[in-house]
Amino acid sequence: MTIDEQLAYVKKGLAELIREDELRERLIQSEKTGRPLRVKAGFDPTAPDLHLGHTVLLRKMKHFQDLGHTVIFLIGDMTGIIGDPTGRNTARPPMTRDEINRNAETYKAQVFKILDPQKTEVRFNSEWLGPMRFEEVVRLCSKYTIARILERDEFSKRYKDGIPISVHELLYPLVQAYDSVALECDVEMGGTDQKFNLLVGREIQRDSSQPPQIVATVPLLEGTDGVEKMSKSKGNYIGITEPAKVMFRKVMRISDALMWRYWELLTDKSLPEIAAMRSEEPMQVKMRLAREIVTDFHSAEAAEQAQADFDSEVRGGQEPADIETANLPDAVGNNLPKILVSLDLTDSRTDAERKIKAGAVEINGEKYTKLTIALPKGLTVFRVGKKWKRVQV
Amino acid sequence: MTIDEQLAYVKKGLAELIREDELRERLIQSEKTGRPLRVKAGFDPTAPDLHLGHTVLLRKMKHFQDLGHTVIFLIGDMTGIIGDPTGRNTARPPMTRDEINRNAETYKAQVFKILDPQKTEVRFNSEWLGPMRFEEVVRLCSKYTIARILERDEFSKRYKDGIPISVHELLYPLVQAYDSVALECDVEMGGTDQKFNLLVGREIQRDSSQPPQIVATVPLLEGTDGVEKMSKSKGNYIGITEPAKVMFRKVMRISDALMWRYWELLTDKSLPEIAAMRSEEPMQVKMRLAREIVTDFHSAEAAEQAQADFDSEVRGGQEPADIETANLPDAVGNNLPKILVSLDLTDSRTDAERKIKAGAVEINGEKYTKLTIALPKGLTVFRVGKKWKRVQV
């Protein structure tokens, strides 16, 4: 790849790149000297249960690996060892070394589905923070001013609202920045919410006579509903350890618009390749996406099988390609007969009840015989006899 | 002494005591258990050259010793070792262990003129800060919020004015507080400008399950001019290593009003004893004060001699008790003939010059034969023949 192509490859899907000219310069230098760039991203030491939202970042890290660079998967275990010392955040009790190591293993099992272990350094920041002394902490803290840290949106809002900010919270951006010094990072990546911390890294590196790291942020991935950020608690997620069949089905249920976003953020396809697919039949393209994703986290065979299952169960039931998408009135609640009436799938609630009991109602390709239903977020496909309807929740 | 008398003794001259009821309780406990209270004050590791202003605090510490308690003379050497890491404050380069030890010895030579070495612990906070790790720093910092620290006048003003506050500066109040934990202090003393830091000590001790220290602040001592804070740069100071004769003379030159303040802050005399002296002849009382002070820093013999010198040189010259005090017009500058004319001590500048050259002019009891003079701050006594005038600069 030419430098321009390399740049285009790692830029795809980024929310922000600070600064492109510096990255170009470093890619050129790396090519000249044969020294791979060091690309870091930090992760919490808490138990990981990754979904596709997390893989956006991992995939961008992989793209640097694809170009021959080294990725540093940094586990911020020092924070874990300390926990939340104020005791206010009960979700963050101190962790033992054993727990942290176990979580690190779970992480590896998951992230090495995307990252190349040969080009990945897994590091723990307790390596350099553990032996760090008061004197060094003071020196580190002297590099940055309160005003700069309080500029950060999150802090500035809390300060104005009178929500307590403990002094130790100010240390964390500095520590994250110091991690970059300790690791001599060329690039640090993170979510858009990490931008401030990543920029502090540039200043602390400059202060330590290192060239400032390039900062690359990735956007937050929308969940299967296409609206909110993918999150376990919202129920709009696709977990990377979910069975192939479930994963495939969930991808098939996203909207066409969201599909293009997923192509961009969840695959290695270049923008021109993605653009070229826009002329194809969307259902076919979505099926390819589902296969790509299942292949990443399971295998090509599992993807084959998931597609076959999908064909026989969903398309075998003659699910038409042009199902109408409707909105549900709030009033229907969990009452399935009411839902079916409001969707014009049955004539009356009595009719609906009879059909449900007779096994003539399918939801997402499966028979449904109860009278109440908790609709998951995202798209749900209803079928009553030959009538089909899709609902966006 | 009864508890009430003890309380009155240590309260004399304090600017503030937080809180009196707690101190009473601790004095009672100490009497019961025989455990002396631990009374700390912190000092910079920079080269000390103490004047009477510094001794106000030392004397209050001594008063606790007089009651049998232990005084901790804490040298904040950790700050010295670090210096000002921003490099902005060139007055604070990092110091070597040797320099710090040398300064500590100079300190001891000076402060043991007031403190009883048997009841003094000289400590260095590098003892516990040196080995302190990142983890402990974070824990310490978690005990306190940004808002509380920015409440401090000095910080709040700087923050509002946009003058940079480095993060490490927030660590210092916490560290000073932690010193109290490490030393298990019952009382911490300092100048009124230290009040905030001393109060942080109470909170951090409480958090470490120690009873919160009592905070006692001493006022700033006015210099010999009776107006501004005593300070070397203002020239209104009495240094504790100055010769007995100079010290005596400087005390004799303060105003009567200031004399009462000095009795309160610079001697061990109780308030009733001081009140009793108000009916005596002020010049006699001032002479006694001068002798007390010279005795403290030199010896009773030196004080005797200083008084004899003063008598023969100043009073022997028939310095009247009722010399008029005048203000000098700015326009006279350093020109002694002009000064003498403006004070009505000579008829003309020519007359003045002639008298100066003839050795007929005395300033502060000594012949003065030059035509220019840099007047020191404070009171200066002029004599030309039988004419006397005092000038307040």
Side-chain angles (χ1 to χ4, degrees), chain B residues 36-246:
Chain B
L37 297 183
R38 295 174 63 71
V39 180
K40 161 190 143 193
F43 295 84
D44 263 354
T46 41
D49 185 5
L50 304 186
H51 55 59
L52 291 186
H54 301 110
T55 69
V56 177
L57 177 58
L58 294 168
R59 184 159 301 274
K60 290 315 298 177
M61 293 166 81
K62 169 184 183 289
H63 292 165
F64 277 98
Q65 289 185 329
D66 289 343
L67 301 178
H69 303 296
T70 304
V71 147
I72 303 160
F73 189 86
L74 177 66
I75 299 180
D77 64 333
M78 202 62 212
T79 327
I81 292 167
I82 299 173
D84 177 25
T86 63
R88 274 198 301 264
N89 184 350
T90 49
R92 209 196 243 181
M95 296 167 77
T96 64
R97 188 73 260 164
D98 262 10
E99 283 178 279
I100 289 169
N101 288 345
R102 253 200 320 278
N103 291 343
E105 288 310 313
T106 320
Y107 255 131
K108 285 190 212 170
Q110 297 185 48
V111 303
F112 286 151
K113 289 181 175 178
I114 294 184
L115 295 177
D116 175 354
Q118 300 303 315
K119 294 178 190 156
T120 306
E121 277 180 26
V122 177
R123 302 289 290 270
F124 297 86
N125 64 3
S126 60
E127 276 178 56
W128 46 90
L129 297 180
M132 196 178 193
R133 305 264 172 157
F134 175 73
E135 184 177 342
E136 297 163 280
V137 178
V138 171
R139 274 186 220 289
L140 174 60
C141 290
S142 72
K143 314 286 189 208
Y144 221 69
T145 69
I146 308 304
R148 295 298 308 278
I149 290 191
L150 292 185
E151 265 170 27
R152 189 177 160 181
D153 283 351
E154 178 209 338
F155 284 142
S156 138
K157 197 173 151 29
R158 277 172 63 189
Y159 186 62
K160 274 180 207 138
D161 294 352
I163 299 166
I165 305 170
S166 283
V167 178
H168 78 286
E169 297 183 72
L170 298 199
L171 297 183
Y172 285 139
L174 286 165
V175 160
Q176 183 170 342
Y178 183 73
D179 291 344
S180 290
V181 173
L183 291 165
E184 302 188 32
C185 294
D186 293 291
V187 179
E188 184 168 6
M189 310 191 75
T192 45
D193 53 341
Q194 283 292 305
K195 180 178 169 186
F196 175 89
N197 288 352
L198 307 185
L199 289 177
V200 177
R202 283 172 68 86
E203 301 196 33
I204 301 298
Q205 280 183 310
R206 226 180 251 129
D207 212 276
S208 310
S209 309
Q210 287 185 15
Q213 66 187 9
I214 285 112
V215 162
T217 59
V218 297
L220 297 170
L221 185 74
E222 295 85 353
T224 47
D225 55 0
V227 180
E228 294 205 82
K229 173 188 151 189
M230 185 176 283
S231 114
K232 201 139 192 207
S233 64
K234 293 253 158 50
N236 61 355
Y237 69 102
I238 303 179
I240 71 172
T241 55
E242 291 197 271
K245 188 173 152 177
V246 174

Side-chain angles (χ1 to χ4, degrees), chain A residues 58-275:
Chain A
L58 293 169
R59 183 160 303 274
K60 290 315 298 177
M61 292 166 82
K62 169 186 182 289
H63 290 165
F64 277 98
Q65 289 185 330
D66 290 343
L67 301 178
H69 303 296
T70 303
V71 148
I72 303 160
F73 188 86
L74 176 66
I75 299 181
D77 63 333
M78 201 63 211
T79 328
I81 292 167
I82 300 172
D84 177 25
T86 63
R88 274 198 302 265
N89 184 352
T90 50
R92 208 194 243 183
M95 297 166 77
T96 64
R97 188 73 256 164
D98 262 9
E99 283 178 279
I100 288 169
N101 288 344
R102 254 200 320 278
N103 290 343
E105 288 310 313
T106 319
Y107 254 131
K108 285 189 211 169
Q110 296 185 47
V111 303
F112 285 152
K113 289 180 175 180
I114 295 183
L115 294 177
D116 175 354
Q118 300 304 315
K119 293 178 190 155
T120 306
E121 277 181 27
V122 178
R123 302 289 289 270
F124 297 87
N125 64 1
S126 59
E127 278 178 54
W128 46 91
L129 296 180
M132 195 177 192
R133 305 267 173 155
F134 175 73
E135 184 178 341
E136 295 163 283
V137 178
V138 171
R139 274 187 219 288
L140 174 60
C141 289
S142 72
K143 315 284 189 209
Y144 221 70
T145 69
I146 308 302
R148 295 298 308 275
I149 290 191
L150 291 184
E151 265 170 26
R152 190 178 159 180
D153 284 351
E154 178 210 337
F155 283 142
S156 138
K157 197 171 150 31
R158 278 171 62 191
Y159 186 63
K160 275 181 206 136
D161 294 350
I163 299 167
I165 305 170
S166 283
V167 178
H168 78 287
E169 297 181 72
L170 298 200
L171 298 182
Y172 286 140
L174 286 166
V175 160
Q176 183 171 341
Y178 183 73
D179 291 344
S180 290
V181 173
L183 291 165
E184 302 187 32
C185 294
D186 293 291
V187 179
E188 184 169 7
M189 309 192 75
T192 45
D193 53 341
Q194 283 292 305
K195 180 178 168 186
F196 176 89
N197 288 352
L198 307 185
L199 289 177
V200 178
R202 282 172 69 85
E203 301 197 33
I204 302 299
Q205 280 183 311
R206 224 179 253 128
D207 212 276
S208 310
S209 309
Q210 287 185 13
Q213 64 188 10
I214 285 113
V215 162
T217 60
V218 296
L220 297 170
L221 185 73
E222 294 85 353
T224 49
D225 55 0
V227 180
E228 294 205 82
K229 174 189 153 187
M230 184 175 286
S231 115
K232 201 141 193 204
S233 64
K234 293 252 158 52
N236 62 355
Y237 70 102
I238 303 177
I240 72 171
T241 56
E242 290 198 272
K245 190 174 151 175
V246 174
M247 218 176 223
F248 195 98
R249 185 78 66 86
K250 283 188 174 180
V251 175
M252 289 310 295
R253 227 174 282 143
I254 65 172
S255 71
D256 290 358
L258 187 59
M259 168 179 78
W260 299 114
R261 181 90 171 142
Y262 277 24
W263 271 115
E264 189 181 343
L265 296 177
L266 300 176
T267 76
D268 298 338
K269 289 276 179 292
S270 70
L271 289 177
E273 287 173 300
I274 297 169

